[in-house]
Amino acid sequence: MDTMTVEQNGINAVPEAERHGRPGDLFWPWAGSNLSLFGVAFGVYMVGLGLGVIPAIITGAVGYALSFLLVGLVAVAGTRSGVPTMTLGRAPFGYQGNKLPAVFSYISNVGWEIVLVTLSAQSGAAILARLAPGVPATTATAVCFAVAAVVVIAVGVYGHALIMAVQRYLTYAFVVLTIVYMALMVPKLGGALKSDAGPGEWVGGVVFAMTLLGLGWVNCGADYSRYLPSNSRARSVALWTTLGGAVPPMVLLVFGVLLAGGDPKLAEAAGGDPVGALAQALPTWFLLPYLLTAIGGFLAGAIMDIYSSGLSMLALGVPVRRHYAVLIDGVLMVLGGYYLLFVSSSFLGTFQAFLAIIGVVMAAWVAIFLVDMWRLRAGGRSYDERLLRPGAPALNWAGLVSLVVASAVGLGLITSGDPNIARIVGFLMSDEMKTGTFGGTNIGVVIALVLAGLLYFLITIFTGRRREA
């Protein structure tokens, strides 16, 4: 497919004649989208849970691997069907019922677009402040924001072929520049972190790492694998997706943890403004390459999100072409980015609350999706093309009930540092539980994952037996 031709496929099944590539090609988009310097801040966040160097690295790595394995399994469904993720969701939820999780998917994608474009603008402005001190901060931020938004929207409009090509070359550049960056920062690293973390903190670290990474991508897994030939090996599709999404950010996670052990003040500053704070420790000659690394990493993730958010909009039944859906999402991204950059004063608290809530719902969704996919495979059946059309079954109550119940329970077992959101979550915990070790683990994410899958499996087994009787 020509990379400079606007993709015409929407949520239809990609024809076999248009499928190409190998499972290994999936490594590049997932690596590029997760190889941003924000991953360094994630390491700092992990240490903030009270974990020492080794516990933070182990729990982070486990959480990354587990959460992106879920993305890899979802990607297998895309290869088999040629259909994007949230359209495939019509199987376990019904044609109309699927609109409920599709709304959350859409909010998740657009939210991440806004966050990543905002971070790219902040990064550019922080570094330009050193390269060109005379430029007003507001002007620098506005210019960087405009450039970032245009790039993300343009690549998203062209679609899959351009995204796959751009992500491959961005990954090459990021790897080289990140290695240089880390070499320059070695004197700042250390392992002097004490920890008295117990089992609760270890569990909390794994759960938090899952919400930081893979659970934000489960609703996109099939969007990039659906162009592979349908006979591609499922194991290879899952493996390369998992490796691409989990390994590069693991390296940055380790770096962030060691930074917290070697220079706690710098690490604390990096937790709030990773790019601006880390730039202060670099020599001037490396600032421009560093700027390109920082902004490029954020934009790579935003490009993936805006493409998938457009597909989620189509899965909701909005009657527009895919590239027009991307343009609509781009407008929302610009409005949200403007709010975070020029109006909001509490970015980090709002972001963490957003992660936790979306993490619960997406954990419940992916469990139901994977159980349904496994049951189809076990029964020797494949994805039904009728689900693409309005005449398909409207509601699958088994999926909807499982999603709502598991999400409600999960939201009742998480906490939030945002005072406004704290009022609507954690309702199943006492005040003592919220302030103790249990509250800090956000165990509701894992409980939603397990409960949703178990409920869906039991309900479908029970209703199936009743129909047979």
Side-chain angles (χ1 to χ4, degrees):
M1 184 184 296
D2 186 356
T3 58
M4 297 312 295
T5 298
V6 175
E7 179 187 356
Q8 297 303 307
N9 288 312
I11 59 173
N12 58 287
V14 176
E16 195 67 41
E18 296 182 27
R19 300 206 192 183
H20 57 277
R22 300 171 299 175
D25 296 336
L26 293 172
F27 178 87
W28 305 108
W30 292 116
S33 61
N34 290 287
L35 194 59
S36 77
L37 291 176
F38 203 27
V40 177
F42 287 172
V44 177
Y45 297 161
M46 293 295 295
V47 171
L49 297 175
L51 299 167
V53 170
I54 299 302
I57 291 173
I58 292 175
T59 56
V62 171
Y64 281 9
L66 288 177
S67 62
F68 240 96
L69 177 60
L70 297 175
V71 182
L73 294 174
V74 172
V76 172
T79 304
R80 289 175 178 167
S81 66
V83 178
T85 316
M86 294 314 297
T87 307
L88 285 166
R90 290 172 177 171
F93 298 102
Y95 186 89
Q96 299 296 339
N98 185 58
K99 293 180 179 179
L100 176 62
V103 164
F104 281 97
S105 171
Y106 185 74
I107 293 171
S108 175
N109 287 139
V110 173
W112 272 107
E113 291 163 30
I114 292 170
V115 166
L116 293 171
V117 171
T118 298
L119 287 169
S120 69
Q122 290 177 332
S123 304
I127 298 169
L128 286 176
R130 282 187 61 185
L131 294 174
V135 178
T138 302
T139 301
T141 302
V143 169
C144 292
F145 177 57
V147 171
V150 168
V151 170
V152 169
I153 294 171
V155 177
V157 164
Y158 276 99
H160 184 272
L162 183 58
I163 290 173
M164 297 295 283
V166 166
Q167 298 289 69
R168 177 186 290 266
Y169 292 111
L170 283 177
T171 303
Y172 291 155
F174 297 162
V175 168
V176 173
L177 292 172
T178 301
I179 289 173
V180 176
Y181 158 77
M182 294 174 72
L184 291 171
M185 294 290 287
V186 163
K188 298 285 184 180
L189 306 183
L193 279 176
K194 295 181 180 179
S195 173
D196 55 357
E201 284 78 13
W202 281 71
V203 172
V206 171
V207 175
F208 187 50
M210 292 177 70
T211 61
L212 285 172
L213 201 68
L215 288 181
W217 288 113
V218 290
N219 54 320
C220 310
D223 299 351
Y224 304 95
S225 60
R226 69 189 185 122
Y227 274 89
L228 290 175
S230 58
N231 62 356
S232 300
R233 291 185 61 188
R235 184 177 301 176
S236 297
V237 171
L239 175 65
W240 284 110
T241 299
T242 304
L243 291 177
V247 174
M250 280 184 192
V251 176
L252 295 173
L253 174 93
V254 172
F255 182 84
V257 171
L258 294 177
L259 180 66
D263 193 335
K265 290 185 178 179
L266 178 59
E268 183 179 357
D273 179 14
V275 178
L278 296 172
Q280 299 301 317
L282 292 173
T284 303
W285 66 266
F286 190 65
L287 284 179
L288 184 57
Y290 175 78
L291 170 64
L292 297 175
T293 304
I295 293 180
F298 294 136
L299 295 188
I303 287 168
M304 298 272 280
D305 277 309
I306 200 168
Y307 178 75
S308 289
S309 67
L311 296 175
S312 291
M313 179 186 287
L314 298 183
L316 284 167
V318 178
V320 295
R321 300 290 295 275
R322 185 203 61 81
H323 47 283
Y324 292 131
V326 170
L327 290 174
I328 295 171
D329 297 345
V331 172
L332 296 177
M333 178 184 73
V334 169
L335 293 175
Y338 175 83
Y339 174 80
L340 284 182
L341 285 169
F342 303 108
V343 179
S344 175
S345 59
S346 180
F347 168 75
L348 185 58
T350 303
F351 173 62
Q352 290 176 327
F354 165 76
L355 279 179
I357 291 176
I358 292 297
V360 166
V361 179
M362 287 296 98
W365 175 86
V366 75
I368 295 166
F369 182 90
L370 292 176
V371 168
D372 189 77
M373 186 177 77
W374 170 73
R375 292 186 72 248
L376 282 174
R377 189 70 173 175
R381 294 173 291 159
S382 60
Y383 179 75
D384 191 342
E385 284 290 333
R386 292 178 305 163
L387 292 172
L388 295 172
R389 302 193 296 269
L395 300 173
N396 181 350
W397 288 108
L400 288 170
V401 169
S402 301
L403 179 69
V404 171
V405 171
S407 296
V409 172
L411 291 173
L413 294 172
I414 64 172
T415 56
S416 173
D418 186 310
N420 295 316
I421 295 178
R423 298 190 185 101
I424 60 175
V425 298
F427 48 83
L428 295 178
M429 295 189 288
S430 64
D431 291 338
E432 292 77 11
M433 292 172 67
K434 291 179 182 179
T435 56
T437 300
F438 184 85
T441 64
N442 273 342
I443 194 66
V445 175
V446 173
I447 290 178
L449 176 75
V450 175
L451 180 60
L454 183 61
L455 278 176
Y456 185 68
F457 177 76
L458 293 176
I459 292 173
T460 51
I461 290 294
F462 178 72
T463 55
R465 286 177 178 172
R466 287 184 59 185
R467 282 195 292 269
E468 291 173 2

